[in-house]
């Protein structure tokens, strides 16, 4: 009996030590397969999948729609106890596909590809798949549709977040005005991530056009690489202090929302 209790004590001691071990990286493409098996799904069952595209963004990088959600994922992964999947860098670009350096993936190619990625994440035993989407337009609808279908098909839980829309209140709080595609808010977020991706010397206000009101006009390609949500608002200001504040507040809001959704999923026994 004494030997039994000694063995039991060693088992629980080992389990406690293992549980306290810190994973070496949250990035799925940087972790070793054996360490991955040690943590998923026993200690980690949430994954963050950044999605974006390549398209013009005023005076920030063409890959801003990839840079932003990936940086966000890295910033909040520890708080959410989540892994970070490799970014899906190519997407459904739409009306800016004609600009230099842009890529346009058809819906017919994109939808089955994202479906297989989600199935692959589920196969790797993630229960919560959180898509941090950096690009809107038609891509949002495809992501929402496919994520819902895979969730129902495989009994997992999916959430799609368009961070710039979700954090529109933070934009108004920090900047006291609305933003835009490659506008005040998105440029600030990228500036907080990596100021070298922001080329202020190339900026002038003619790079921006306000998006049309519904049923007024439509132009393809869109005439400017900066699209303002409101006429006269959202021009980049390149203020580093505001950029850093915006980055932190957006990440805090997104992380808090994800935790709340997971809590309610758990509460409902889903």
């Amino acid at each position: 009996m004494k030997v039994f209790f000694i063995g039991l004590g060693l088992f629980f001691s080992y389990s406690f030590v293992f549980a306290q071990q810190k994973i070496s990286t949250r990035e799925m493409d940087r972790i070793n397969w054996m360490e991955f098996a040690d943590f998923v799904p026993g200690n980690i069952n949430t994954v963050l999948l950044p999605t974006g595209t390549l398209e013009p963004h005023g005076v920030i990088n063409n890959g801003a729609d990839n840079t932003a959600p990936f940086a966000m994922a890295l910033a909040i992964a520890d708080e959410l106890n989540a892994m970070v999947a490799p970014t899906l860098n190519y997407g459904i670009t739409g009306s800016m596909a004609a600009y230099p350096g842009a890529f346009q993936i058809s819906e017919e190619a994109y939808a089955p590809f994202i479906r297989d990625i989600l199935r692959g994440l589920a196969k790797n035993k993630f229960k919560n798949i959180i898509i941090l989407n950096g690009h809107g337009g038609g891509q949002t609808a495809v992501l929402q549709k496919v994520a819902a279908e895979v969730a129902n098909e495989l009994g997992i839980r999916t959430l799609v977040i368009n961070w710039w829309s979700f954090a529109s209140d933070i934009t108004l709080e920090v900047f006291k005005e609305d933003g835009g595609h490659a506008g005040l808010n998105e440029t600030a977020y990228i500036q907080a991530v990596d100021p070298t991706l922001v080329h202020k010397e190339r900026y002038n206000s003619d790079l921006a056009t306000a998006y049309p009101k519904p049923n007024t006009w439509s132009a393809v390609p869109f005439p400017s690489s900066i699209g303002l949500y409101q006429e006269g608002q959202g021009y980049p200001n390149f203020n580093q202090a505001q950029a850093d504040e915006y980055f932190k507040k957006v990440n805090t809001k997104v992380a808090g929302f994800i935790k709340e959704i997971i809590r309610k999923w758990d509460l409902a026994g889903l």
Side-chain angles (χ1 to χ4, degrees), residues 55-56 93-100 102-104 221:
E55 67 174 5
T93 295
S95 65
M96 294 190 179
Y99 282 79
F103 277 74
Q104 169 78 325

Side-chain angles (χ1 to χ4, degrees), residues 3 26 32 46 71 82 84 88 108 185 208 240:
V3 173
R26 295 283 181 177
N32 175 270
T46 298
V84 178
L88 179 52
E108 292 75 17
N185 53 331
Q240 188 67 50

Side-chain angles (χ1 to χ4, degrees), residues 257-270:
F257 179 70
I258 293 171
K259 286 193 290 186
E260 180 65 3
I261 293 295
I262 292 175
R263 185 186 72 83
K264 290 187 175 181
W265 276 335
D266 291 341
L267 188 64
L270 299 171

Side-chain angles (χ1 to χ4, degrees), residues 23-232:
I23 195 166
S24 64
T25 177
R26 295 283 181 177
E27 297 178 61
M28 282 182 60
D29 59 352
R30 294 175 64 87
I31 196 170
N32 175 270
W33 68 273
M34 290 176 280
E35 185 183 13
F36 185 95
D38 288 340
F39 284 88
V40 180
N43 294 294
I44 299 173
N45 57 25
T46 298
V47 63
L48 306 172
L49 172 62
T51 57
T53 196
L54 288 170
E55 67 174 5
H57 278 83
V59 295
I60 58 178
N61 56 318
N62 275 8
D65 288 347
N66 304 316
T67 302
F70 179 64
M72 183 177 295
L74 292 182
I76 66 179
D78 281 340
E79 181 178 353
L80 297 172
N81 189 29
M83 295 297 294
V84 178
T87 304
L88 179 52
N89 290 299
Y90 300 96
I92 304 173
T93 295
S95 65
M96 294 190 179
Y99 282 79
F103 277 74
Q104 169 78 325
I105 306 301
S106 69
E107 182 177 335
E108 292 75 17
Y110 188 82
F113 190 53
I114 191 68
R115 187 185 308 276
D116 280 350
I117 291 173
L118 298 182
R119 285 174 174 164
L121 293 172
K123 171 184 172 291
N124 277 285
K125 302 179 181 180
F126 289 110
K127 180 69 173 177
N128 308 311
I129 300 177
I130 314 299
I131 298 175
L132 297 177
N133 184 36
H135 174 67
Q139 181 164 304
T140 297
V142 173
L143 288 171
Q144 291 174 339
K145 180 177 184 293
V146 173
E149 291 172 350
V150 173
N152 289 326
E153 172 193 346
L154 300 180
I156 58 170
R157 311 185 300 195
T158 62
L159 173 64
V160 180
I161 302 176
N162 284 346
W163 73 266
W164 67 97
S165 294
F166 181 73
S168 59
D169 59 329
I170 305 297
T171 300
L172 294 175
E173 176 188 339
V174 173
F175 302 108
K176 313 305 180 189
E177 60 180 281
D178 209 346
H181 170 269
L184 181 64
N185 53 331
E186 193 173 17
T187 297
Y189 196 94
I190 296 300
Q191 184 172 340
V193 174
D194 184 354
T196 68
L197 298 177
V198 181
H199 298 279
K200 180 181 177 181
E201 74 282 358
R202 290 181 173 270
Y203 175 73
N204 70 75
S205 60
D206 281 341
L207 289 172
T209 299
Y211 284 122
K213 294 179 180 179
N215 303 314
T216 57
W217 60 271
S218 176
V220 177
F222 194 72
S224 296
S225 61
I226 300 174
L228 306 177
Y229 299 146
Q230 302 287 339
E231 187 77 46

